[in-house]
Amino acid sequence: MADFAFKKQDETKVASETTKIVPLTCHGHSRPITHVSFSSLLPTGGSSQYYMISACKDNNPMLRDGLTGDWIGTFIGHKGAVWSARLSDDATLAATGSADFSAKVWDTFTGETLCTLEHNHICRAVAFPPQATPQVLATGGMEKKLRVYDLSRASNGVQATNGNAANGADTMPCYEIGAGEHQGAIKSIIWSRDPNIMTTAADDKKIRWWDLRARSSIASHDVEGLPTSCELNIGVGGNPEGVVSVAAGKNVYLFDGGKPGHLMKHIRTEREVASVAVNGEARRFVTGSPNDTWVHVWDLDGEAELETGRGHHGPVWTTCFSPDGKLYATGSEDGTVKMWKFTDGPYGLWR
C-alpha cells in the first residue's frame, strides 16, 4: 500500500528567464520528468478546476492542482522510473507505468495503491477510457503487447500478473489486443473520446488505431522516426473528438481524433522533436526538443515558429495543454514541471 504525503509544500515559484510569459515552476522531483498530463475539467459551479499528474525517473509520480501547480500528493510504491502517468476524467483514479515491470492504479483521494499489474518487461504506457471512475485500463511497453485490464476487482492493493494474481487467490482479468502486430515497444497509448477506439505509437514507427469490439487494428500510419510523444489534444474548430498529435524524428503529425488514421497535417521541422501538444481552438502547437532547453510555440496554419519560452535547463521531454486550453505544462530533463499561461488577462496565479 502506498504512502501518501499530504503536507502542504511551497513549491510553486516564478522562473526568471523567459520571453513573453513568466512560467510557474513546480519543484519536488529529483530526476528527469518523463510525462505530464491533465484530468478533464471538473464541474465546480463556474470556476476552472482540474488536476495534473507528472511521471518521473525518481520513481515517484506527483499529483498537483492543474490551475496553480500546487503540490497535492506523491504516490509512493514504484521501484523504478515511471514512464507514463494519467488521470481518469474525473481525477478520482491515477494510473502509472514503470520500469519496475508494473503498472499501478491509485486512489487519488487517499494515495493508496488499488492494484499492481505485473508485466514481464518495462511498462511504458497506460491509458484510461474517457469516463468517470473507469473500470478498465490499457497498458503497453517493451513486451510489445497491448493489454486491457478489468479493474472491477481493483481494491485492497491486489497484485496480478498478466491477468492471474501472484498469490493464486485474487485475479485481474485482461485480454490482449492485436497479438503479434506490434513489432517494437509500445511508447504511448491514448483512448479516443469514443471508448471503443484506442491509438498506439510504437518503435516499429507505426501509429495504429484499434477497435476494441473487434480486438483488431482498423488503421495505421507510418512515421519517419521513432515516436517520442502521442497525445489527444483540443480539437480544431471546437471538434469534440480532438486532435491526435505525434512527434517522431523531425516531424509533427496531426490526426483527426474522430477519424482513425486520417492525417490532417504533417509538419517537417529543422530540429528533432521530443514532444508536441496542440491547441486546436487557438490554432497553435507547442514542441520540445532533445537538442535544446526551450519551449517552441508554432502557428498551426503557417507552420512558423512564433516564440520560444526559456526557463528550463534541460531538454523538454513532455508537454500538454490544460483541458480549457488556457495554459500548458512542460516537463524537462532538469527535473521540473513548468506551467505557461496561454490566454489573455488574469488566469490562475497570473495577475
Side-chain angles (χ1 to χ4, degrees), residues 154-170:
S155 61
N156 302 321
V158 61
Q159 185 166 335
T161 304
N162 299 338
N164 297 300
N167 61 11
D170 294 312

Side-chain angles (χ1 to χ4, degrees), residues 11-27 68 293 295 308-313 330 332 334 336-341 349-350:
E11 293 177 353
T12 305
K13 300 180 180 179
V14 175
S16 59
E17 183 183 352
T18 72
T19 52
K20 295 181 179 180
I21 301 299
V22 178
L24 305 176
T25 301
C26 306
H27 296 282
T68 65
T293 64
V295 180
T308 56
R310 307 190 183 193
H312 278 301
H313 300 287
T330 55
S332 169
D334 65 14
T336 67
V337 174
K338 290 185 185 292
M339 299 168 63
W340 311 74
K341 184 166 76 78
L349 297 180
W350 290 276

Side-chain angles (χ1 to χ4, degrees), residues 2 18 21 24 33 46 53 59 92 119 121 123 125 145 150 187 190 198 202 211 228 279 282-283 299 308 312 329 338:
T18 72
I21 301 299
L24 305 176
I33 309 298
I53 190 169
N59 310 354
T92 60
H119 291 61
H121 212 312
C123 180
K145 295 181 179 181
D150 178 359
K187 289 295 186 62
I190 52 176
M198 276 195 298
D211 188 317
T228 48
N279 185 325
R283 309 196 74 84
D299 175 64
T308 56
H312 278 301
K338 290 185 185 292

Side-chain angles (χ1 to χ4, degrees), residues 8 65 96 121 136 158 164-165 179-180 182 191 201 227 231 233 239 263:
K8 195 69 174 178
D65 184 298
T96 52
H121 212 312
V136 291
V158 61
N164 297 300
H182 290 101
W191 222 300
E231 299 291 339
N233 307 262
N239 179 0
L263 180 67

Side-chain angles (χ1 to χ4, degrees), residues 6 8 37 74 94 99 108 115 120-121 160 169 180 202 209 225 235 241 247 251 260 265 276-277 284 297 332 343:
F6 282 101
K8 195 69 174 178
S37 61
T74 301
T108 59
C115 64
N120 295 321
H121 212 312
W209 287 260
E241 302 298 331
N251 304 273
K265 206 171 188 63
V276 59
R284 298 286 187 269
V297 182
S332 169
T343 186

